[in-house]
Amino acid sequence: MSHISHLSKRASVYYARMDVPTDLVQILKTQTRKRSLKTKDEAEAKRRLWPVIAAWQKEFDDLRGRRNLIASDREHVVWDHYTASLERDDAQRSQIPGEAEIEVAKAEVYLRVELGEITGIDPLALLDATLELQVAQDASGFFARSRKVKLEHMRAHLAKGETALVAAAVDEYLREKGLHIDRSTVDWISVARLMMRAEIEAMQRADERDRGDFSGQPRDPIVKAPKLDRRHHTEAEIPGESIFETMEVFKRENPRNVSASRMNESCRAIGIFIETIGPGFPISKVNKKQVRDWKALLMKYPVRATEIVKFRGMNISQIVEANAVHKKSVLSDRTVNRYLSSLSAFFSWAVSNGFINDNPCSGMSLAKERRTKTLPFTEEQMNTLFKSPLFAGTQSDTEWRYISRPGNMLIRDHRFWVPLIMLFSGARPGEIGQLAVSDVRQEHGHWTMHITTEGETHGEGKSVKTAGSMRVVPVHPELLRLGFLKYHADRVQAGGKRLFPGAERNERGQMMSDFSREFGKYLTRIGIKVGRGLSLYSFRHGAADALRRAGNLDDQFGFILGHAKSSMTSRYGIMPQAMLQQRVELVNASSYPELKLDHLAG
């Protein structure tokens, strides 16, 4: 099963699973959300998954929103406490006995005296019998005196900034309203002071009632009926087509007809933006400020943050804040622009389809000169690289941390051939890694590689960046000299479909992505790379430079690198001999005069 984020399988049944953000674990009392999708079918599980994830994300957004007061909360907490205090006064007054009830109580005492149940000989019995009568006779006075003491203390506490008199009431109110505001925070103290002012007003009304005046109105300007609606939902639930639902439509339509892996990558970028505003947020309400704030976060966002344990369970804002301490490398401006480009393409489609009036990403890209440029290797650097353990002999052929140590093990799989093929063809690593054995074949006396989605397929699948990336590339003579045909023959004899069975896609569906990352680290370990600029793609840039050195203009060899419009000559099949000969001459003319590879031939 290809890895789908948040999808797990247990006892053949699929489950939705999501880590609870660290800042919400204490509130939810759990670190993980799990729910059975009640299906054993993977396709159906994927369909049922995202509504569950969206609901959880909406819940998380709502909980975060309920950790802070908003204007309507302040209005309602004052009025709720004021009216509740008056209701308690009403309840107390309803318990005060009237004259008739007091007379009945007196009669009961006299009757007990006559019956001999109460005598002057037993003072305790006399006290007990008359105590209830005294309480009934002075009930209103008792409540008034108690209220007077409380009112004096309440005013004194309000002046001093103390909250002890209402602390329990504040906690109870916040719990009833689902507001997760911690004690000692500014918002909690604000609620306490609002309640105190409301209760002072209510006690003043009670004093007026004692005098028979039930017409009193609050004099404190904050104590008034709310004008704002009580909040029940987050802003993410404003009526309208949600951005998450709209993204799903965009994904299904695939308006540019890009590969599945490319579309998934774009939707991941869009998903990071959605995380900041909530999946239920209406797409028609998205504005430039939200995109601008997201861009600012991306510029401080750590590389591969989701794989760093320290950031597990955090949202993008929390990760950026935490990275101010951990100081991990952040996204390059080029990567930030790629995320913005994916989001912009989505909004452009949304404009065309009437979901939103304007593209909020317009003009948001970072300046091109800020981008980190990929540099080609110098021939001196390549001589050092090709004499290093990865190519000349290593201590281990499995652990990357040991591959940089010299040894007797020779690596001759995709890790050896992909960099060399890139250097002498300019092909992308993913295009090479997905080649089928049958994609390499002889035509008109020349060996060629067919970079295409057509022809024989295999378990890892085949894809290209664009339709114009499908092409036929002659195999360079240097690759033949280094033993590429022998490797190909061995794969034919082995009977497998894939030319490089060890080349894999990562969980995002990107072919050779993990190798590309580890290769960059390897360059650092052997002392070739310092900072940014050099990577696996440096071979591709070097191939372009070699074609230029041979006297070719960029538009004359762009099709070799996959920079061309789609045409029938790029499709799977036999290429006309004259056209193939032209390509052979073009590729064979590229060279690296100072590059020494004799030790790799075999």
Side-chain angles (χ1 to χ4, degrees), residues 438-474:
S438 59
D439 289 334
V440 177
R441 62 181 187 270
Q442 198 171 30
E443 296 181 30
H444 306 300
H446 301 287
W447 282 94
T448 60
M449 294 182 296
H450 287 247
I451 297 172
T452 177
T453 58
E454 301 175 351
E456 187 174 31
T457 59
H458 46 70
E460 287 293 322
K462 295 162 74 175
S463 63
V464 291
K465 189 171 183 179
T466 66
S469 297
M470 291 197 289
R471 60 198 185 277
V472 177
V473 182

Coordinates of all heavy atoms in Angstrom, one line a residue, residues 438-474:
S438 N 13.1 -2.3 -20.9 CA 12.7 -2.2 -22.3 C 12.8 -0.8 -22.8 O 12.8 -0.5 -24.0 CB 11.3 -2.7 -22.6 OG 10.4 -2.0 -21.8
D439 N 13.0 0.2 -21.9 CA 13.1 1.6 -22.3 C 14.5 1.9 -22.9 O 14.7 2.9 -23.5 CB 12.9 2.6 -21.1 CG 11.4 2.6 -20.7 OD1 10.5 2.3 -21.6 OD2 11.1 2.9 -19.6
V440 N 15.4 1.0 -22.6 CA 16.8 1.1 -23.2 C 16.9 0.1 -24.3 O 16.9 -1.1 -24.0 CB 17.9 0.9 -22.1 CG1 19.3 1.0 -22.7 CG2 17.7 1.9 -21.0
R441 N 17.1 0.6 -25.5 CA 17.2 -0.4 -26.6 C 17.9 0.2 -27.8 O 18.2 1.4 -27.9 CB 15.8 -0.8 -27.1 CG 14.9 0.3 -27.6 CD 13.5 -0.3 -27.9 NE 12.6 0.6 -28.5 CZ 11.7 1.4 -27.9 NH1 11.7 1.3 -26.6 NH2 10.9 2.2 -28.5
Q442 N 18.2 -0.6 -28.7 CA 19.0 -0.2 -29.9 C 18.1 0.1 -31.1 O 17.2 -0.6 -31.4 CB 20.0 -1.3 -30.3 CG 21.1 -0.8 -31.2 CD 22.2 -1.9 -31.4 OE1 21.9 -3.1 -31.4 NE2 23.4 -1.5 -31.6
E443 N 18.3 1.3 -31.7 CA 17.6 1.7 -32.9 C 18.5 2.3 -33.9 O 19.4 3.1 -33.6 CB 16.6 2.8 -32.5 CG 15.5 2.4 -31.5 CD 14.5 3.5 -31.2 OE1 14.3 4.3 -32.1 OE2 14.0 3.5 -30.1
H444 N 18.4 1.8 -35.1 CA 19.3 2.2 -36.2 C 20.7 2.2 -35.9 O 21.5 3.1 -36.2 CB 18.9 3.7 -36.7 CG 17.4 3.8 -37.0 ND1 16.8 3.1 -38.0 CD2 16.5 4.6 -36.5 CE1 15.5 3.5 -38.1 NE2 15.3 4.4 -37.2
G445 N 21.1 1.2 -35.1 CA 22.5 1.0 -34.7 C 22.9 1.8 -33.5 O 24.1 1.8 -33.2
H446 N 22.0 2.6 -32.9 CA 22.4 3.4 -31.8 C 21.6 3.0 -30.5 O 20.4 2.7 -30.7 CB 22.1 4.9 -32.1 CG 22.9 5.4 -33.3 ND1 24.2 5.7 -33.2 CD2 22.4 5.7 -34.5 CE1 24.6 6.1 -34.4 NE2 23.5 6.1 -35.2
W447 N 22.2 3.0 -29.4 CA 21.5 2.7 -28.1 C 20.8 4.0 -27.6 O 21.4 5.1 -27.6 CB 22.4 2.2 -27.1 CG 22.8 0.7 -27.3 CD1 23.9 0.3 -28.0 CD2 22.0 -0.4 -26.9 NE1 23.8 -1.1 -28.0 CE2 22.7 -1.5 -27.3 CE3 20.8 -0.5 -26.2 CZ2 22.2 -2.8 -27.1 CZ3 20.3 -1.8 -25.9 CH2 21.0 -2.9 -26.4
T448 N 19.5 3.8 -27.2 CA 18.7 5.0 -26.8 C 18.0 4.7 -25.5 O 17.8 3.5 -25.1 CB 17.7 5.4 -27.8 OG1 16.8 4.3 -28.1 CG2 18.4 5.8 -29.2
M449 N 17.6 5.8 -24.8 CA 16.8 5.7 -23.6 C 15.5 6.4 -24.0 O 15.5 7.5 -24.4 CB 17.4 6.4 -22.4 CG 18.7 5.7 -21.9 SD 19.3 6.6 -20.4 CE 19.7 8.2 -21.1
H450 N 14.4 5.7 -23.7 CA 13.0 6.3 -23.9 C 12.5 6.8 -22.6 O 12.1 6.0 -21.8 CB 12.1 5.3 -24.6 CG 12.4 5.0 -26.0 ND1 11.6 5.4 -27.1 CD2 13.5 4.5 -26.6 CE1 12.2 5.1 -28.2 NE2 13.3 4.5 -28.0
I451 N 12.5 8.1 -22.4 CA 11.9 8.7 -21.2 C 10.5 9.0 -21.5 O 10.2 10.0 -22.2 CB 12.7 9.9 -20.8 CG1 14.2 9.5 -20.5 CG2 12.1 10.6 -19.6 CD1 15.1 10.7 -20.3
T452 N 9.6 8.2 -20.9 CA 8.2 8.3 -21.3 C 7.3 7.7 -20.3 O 7.8 6.9 -19.4 CB 8.0 7.6 -22.7 OG1 6.6 7.6 -23.0 CG2 8.4 6.2 -22.6
T453 N 6.0 7.9 -20.3 CA 5.0 7.2 -19.5 C 4.5 6.0 -20.2 O 3.7 5.3 -19.6 CB 3.9 8.2 -19.1 OG1 3.2 8.6 -20.3 CG2 4.4 9.4 -18.3
E454 N 4.8 5.8 -21.4 CA 4.3 4.8 -22.2 C 5.2 3.5 -22.2 O 6.1 3.5 -21.5 CB 4.0 5.3 -23.7 CG 3.1 6.5 -23.7 CD 2.9 7.1 -25.1 OE1 3.7 6.6 -26.0 OE2 2.1 7.9 -25.3
G455 N 4.8 2.6 -23.1 CA 5.6 1.4 -23.1 C 5.4 0.5 -21.9 O 4.4 0.5 -21.3
E456 N 6.4 -0.3 -21.6 CA 6.2 -1.3 -20.5 C 6.2 -0.6 -19.1 O 7.1 0.3 -18.9 CB 7.3 -2.3 -20.5 CG 7.2 -3.4 -19.5 CD 8.2 -4.5 -19.7 OE1 9.3 -4.2 -20.1 OE2 7.9 -5.7 -19.4
T457 N 5.3 -0.9 -18.3 CA 5.2 -0.2 -17.0 C 5.6 -1.2 -15.9 O 5.8 -2.4 -16.2 CB 3.8 0.3 -16.7 OG1 2.8 -0.8 -16.8 CG2 3.4 1.3 -17.7
H458 N 5.7 -0.7 -14.7 CA 6.1 -1.6 -13.6 C 5.4 -1.1 -12.3 O 4.7 -0.1 -12.3 CB 7.6 -1.6 -13.4 CG 8.3 -0.3 -13.5 ND1 8.1 0.6 -12.5 CD2 9.0 0.3 -14.4 CE1 8.8 1.7 -12.8 NE2 9.4 1.5 -14.0
G459 N 5.7 -1.8 -11.2 CA 5.1 -1.5 -9.9 C 5.2 0.0 -9.4 O 4.3 0.5 -8.8
E460 N 6.4 0.6 -9.7 CA 6.6 1.9 -9.2 C 5.9 3.0 -10.1 O 5.8 4.2 -9.7 CB 8.1 2.2 -9.1 CG 8.8 1.5 -8.0 CD 8.4 2.1 -6.6 OE1 8.2 3.3 -6.5 OE2 8.3 1.3 -5.7
G461 N 5.5 2.6 -11.2 CA 4.8 3.5 -12.1 C 5.8 4.5 -12.8 O 7.0 4.5 -12.5
K462 N 5.3 5.2 -13.9 CA 6.2 6.0 -14.6 C 5.5 7.4 -14.8 O 4.3 7.4 -15.0 CB 6.5 5.4 -16.0 CG 7.3 4.1 -15.9 CD 7.2 3.3 -17.2 CE 8.0 4.0 -18.3 NZ 8.1 3.1 -19.5
S463 N 6.2 8.4 -14.7 CA 5.7 9.8 -14.9 C 6.7 10.7 -15.4 O 7.9 10.4 -15.3 CB 5.1 10.3 -13.6 OG 6.2 10.5 -12.6
V464 N 6.3 11.8 -16.0 CA 7.3 12.8 -16.5 C 6.7 14.2 -16.0 O 5.6 14.3 -15.6 CB 7.4 12.8 -18.0 CG1 8.1 11.6 -18.5 CG2 6.0 13.0 -18.7
K465 N 7.6 15.2 -16.0 CA 7.2 16.5 -15.5 C 6.1 17.1 -16.3 O 5.1 17.6 -15.7 CB 8.4 17.4 -15.4 CG 8.2 18.7 -14.7 CD 9.5 19.5 -14.5 CE 9.3 20.8 -13.7 NZ 10.5 21.5 -13.5
T466 N 6.2 17.1 -17.6 CA 5.2 17.6 -18.5 C 5.1 16.7 -19.7 O 6.0 15.8 -19.9 CB 5.5 19.0 -19.0 OG1 6.7 19.0 -19.8 CG2 5.7 20.0 -17.8
A467 N 4.1 16.9 -20.5 CA 4.0 16.1 -21.8 C 5.3 16.3 -22.6 O 5.7 15.4 -23.3 CB 2.8 16.4 -22.5
G468 N 5.8 17.5 -22.6 CA 7.0 17.8 -23.4 C 8.3 17.2 -22.9 O 9.3 17.2 -23.6
S469 N 8.2 16.6 -21.7 CA 9.4 15.9 -21.1 C 9.6 14.5 -21.7 O 10.6 13.9 -21.5 CB 9.2 15.8 -19.6 OG 9.2 17.1 -19.0
M470 N 8.6 14.0 -22.4 CA 8.7 12.6 -23.0 C 9.7 12.8 -24.2 O 9.4 13.6 -25.0 CB 7.4 12.1 -23.4 CG 6.5 11.7 -22.2 SD 5.1 10.6 -22.6 CE 4.1 11.7 -23.6
R471 N 10.7 11.9 -24.2 CA 11.7 12.1 -25.3 C 12.5 10.9 -25.4 O 12.5 10.0 -24.6 CB 12.6 13.3 -24.9 CG 13.3 13.2 -23.6 CD 13.8 14.5 -23.1 NE 14.7 14.4 -21.9 CZ 14.2 14.4 -20.7 NH1 12.9 14.3 -20.5 NH2 15.0 14.3 -19.7
V472 N 13.3 10.8 -26.5 CA 14.2 9.8 -26.8 C 15.6 10.4 -26.7 O 15.9 11.4 -27.4 CB 14.0 9.2 -28.2 CG1 15.1 8.1 -28.5 CG2 12.6 8.6 -28.3
V473 N 16.5 9.8 -25.9 CA 17.8 10.4 -25.7 C 18.9 9.3 -26.0 O 18.8 8.2 -25.4 CB 18.0 10.8 -24.2 CG1 19.4 11.4 -24.0 CG2 17.0 11.8 -23.8
P474 N 19.8 9.6 -26.9 CA 20.9 8.6 -27.2 C 21.7 8.4 -26.0 O 22.0 9.3 -25.2 CB 21.6 9.2 -28.4 CG 20.7 10.2 -29.0 CD 19.9 10.7 -27.8

